[in-house]
Amino acid sequence: MRTELIEPEVTAGQLELEERNSLRRVAGLSTELADITEVEYRQLRLERVVLVGVWTDGNVVDAENSLTELAALAETAGSQVLEGLIQRRGRPDPATFIGRGKVDELRDVVVANGADTVICDGELSPSQLRNLEQQTKVKVVDRTALILDIFAQHAKSREGKAQVELAQLQYLLPRLRGWGESLSRQAGGSGRGGGAGGGVGLRGPGETKLETDRRRINTRIAKLRREITAMRTIRQTKRSRRARTGVPAVAIAGYTNAGKSSLLNRLTSAGVLVEDALFATLDPTTRRAAAEDGRVYTLSDTVGFVRHLPHHIVEAFRSTLEEVAHADLVVHVVDGAHPDPDGQVAAVREVLGEVGADRIPELLVVNKIDTADEETLLRLKRQWPEAVFVSARSGLGIEELRVAVAERLPRPATEMWVVLPYDRGDLAAWIHRRGQVLATRHTEDGTELHVRVDEMIAAELARFRR
């Protein structure tokens, strides 16, 4: 007797994960913007890095959590974190981000560990980047550039790539500079005589080249904005179509790596990419789901948020984030096993407020309860009594979540009794799909239904009204 081995079905998410792992950054390679030539676009050699942060407010636990998150971001980008330094200051140093003494200590740590990159936990000005590089003698990258690099690695769709490139260029523009001291500048002066003054015919090409690059970048930014606006129009058209059909929209939002994609997979069998990494999902995925009473609604996965999410990212991804602002319900996913779930919730609500989604009804969902400690869960249950506690990985609490989502879906406005002939099963199916059936009874004349439907369906059912 011959037995055949049946291979398990491979989802699109698994294939994408395999592809992403096979393309992890190789040491020595860098991410560089296309279309930009002969410009020092801070090539990110994220190989062996030292982290440095400035603790300006909050307590030491907050500062350590922030640096831990920076380490996770660096590892997601493909680097090896060697050491982290924190300095307590009232505000970052305007010249070097950290104080002069801390710069010397940072340089010693870089030399001792053989690091090739320093990552700062904040957005640095062009002068701070330049000064730190000159004093540490290695590449310096700030938090914003790091997040942009991760987004560039993970973007898959045409819209996602355009949004990331726009954010990169907006970040790059004020930080343009030439290829170092060897690149000559405009000489200035009257043009007479020799010496260091140069003059007509002896002016260096450096400043002209930077101006050319700025023009090219501004042109590219304008083109990307037009493309993203066109994509936004398409997205708005799809939203309008869904609104006309009366299908409620539910958006899954939350901190990066809180388990949003896992939750979408658990609720809809979507098969989207799931990875234990920050910003694994950039391209939104929408799937249909149904409540127990038959009402159909859409579930959309969205890009994750993070503390101090760069303004360039929020602006570039505004058209995508508006999916949340136009939803009927926001399922706000929180990582229950994270050291600071309260900070996660505050960071997400801040970004939701920026895109106008703070007025949408919110259902708080605490995920990963299978790995969280009992004391933390008890505290969170006291703090958020309306929240649903689940584990997307094990399935614990998922049924309670389905019920909670169904209870919060907008209910059709018109309540009526109708008697449908037995040959009009299409109308009964339409009501189940778009409305809510409160009661059913079979009579000699047909199926008697007590329903709640929207105005458009009510108009169609008027002739069957009891």
Side-chain angles (χ1 to χ4, degrees), residues 160-215:
K161 289 177 179 178
Q163 289 167 325
V164 171
E165 186 182 355
L166 175 60
Q168 284 180 318
L169 291 174
Q170 289 173 325
Y171 171 82
L172 165 66
L173 194 58
R175 292 167 175 80
L176 280 183
R177 54 193 174 100
W179 283 100
E181 301 301 326
S182 62
L183 185 61
S184 55
R185 305 294 187 189
Q186 287 184 344
S190 63
R192 295 192 301 271
V200 176
L202 298 176
R203 299 181 191 274
E207 202 66 34
T208 304
K209 179 59 188 167
L210 290 180
E211 290 171 358
T212 302
D213 287 325
R214 285 193 184 97
R215 278 197 301 274

Side-chain angles (χ1 to χ4, degrees), residues 219-433:
T219 301
R220 180 64 178 161
I221 286 175
K223 182 181 179 183
L224 286 169
R225 280 180 172 154
R226 288 195 298 271
E227 290 179 0
I228 291 171
T229 300
M231 295 175 198
R232 175 183 291 181
T233 303
I234 295 171
R235 191 179 291 278
Q236 287 172 341
T237 303
K238 290 180 179 178
R239 270 201 305 264
S240 300
R241 192 179 301 132
R242 287 201 302 265
R244 282 198 305 272
T245 60
V247 177
V250 178
I252 303 176
Y255 212 76
T256 181
N257 208 30
K260 298 182 297 300
S261 297
S262 298
L263 207 59
L264 179 68
N265 286 343
R266 178 65 71 171
L267 290 171
T268 66
S269 302
V272 298
L273 169 68
V274 172
E275 184 180 10
D276 186 16
L278 305 186
F279 300 115
T281 302
L282 292 189
D283 303 315
T285 302
T286 300
R287 293 289 184 271
R288 279 182 170 256
E292 281 192 0
D293 58 10
R295 282 179 298 160
V296 173
Y297 60 95
T298 61
L299 267 174
S300 298
D301 191 11
T302 60
V303 61
F305 304 142
V306 72
R307 287 182 187 85
H308 313 303
L309 190 65
H311 179 70
H312 305 302
I313 288 288
V314 176
E315 282 304 308
F317 277 75
R318 182 169 290 275
S319 63
T320 303
L321 294 173
E322 282 175 355
E323 284 291 316
V324 184
H326 289 86
D328 297 294
L329 174 68
V330 174
V331 174
H332 181 168
V333 185
V334 187
D335 182 354
H338 191 272
D340 184 21
D342 305 83
Q344 285 195 350
V345 170
V348 171
R349 286 175 174 166
E350 181 181 345
V351 179
L352 290 177
E354 287 187 48
V355 296
D358 50 341
R359 299 178 183 177
I360 308 298
E362 177 192 76
L363 172 60
L364 208 58
V365 179
V366 180
N367 190 23
K368 304 185 183 180
I369 60 173
D370 52 333
T371 57
D373 65 83
E374 198 62 35
E375 185 179 343
T376 300
L377 291 179
L378 288 172
R379 179 180 66 82
L380 295 179
K381 285 177 181 178
R382 287 194 302 270
Q383 185 175 343
W384 300 319
E386 299 297 320
V388 181
F389 288 73
V390 306
S391 168
R393 184 171 65 176
S394 68
L396 192 65
I398 294 298
E399 287 309 312
E400 290 86 341
L401 175 59
R402 292 183 198 275
V403 172
V405 169
E407 287 176 349
R408 287 164 175 78
L409 290 176
R411 297 187 181 277
T414 305
E415 189 174 334
M416 59 195 302
W417 285 89
V418 294
V419 179
L420 299 180
Y422 286 118
D423 61 351
R424 295 307 308 268
D426 58 319
L427 285 178
W430 192 27
I431 295 170
H432 278 283
R433 192 167 57 249

Side-chain angles (χ1 to χ4, degrees), residues 419-423 442-448:
V419 179
L420 299 180
Y422 286 118
D423 61 351
H442 297 289
T443 68
E444 292 182 2
D445 300 323
T447 305
E448 187 179 67

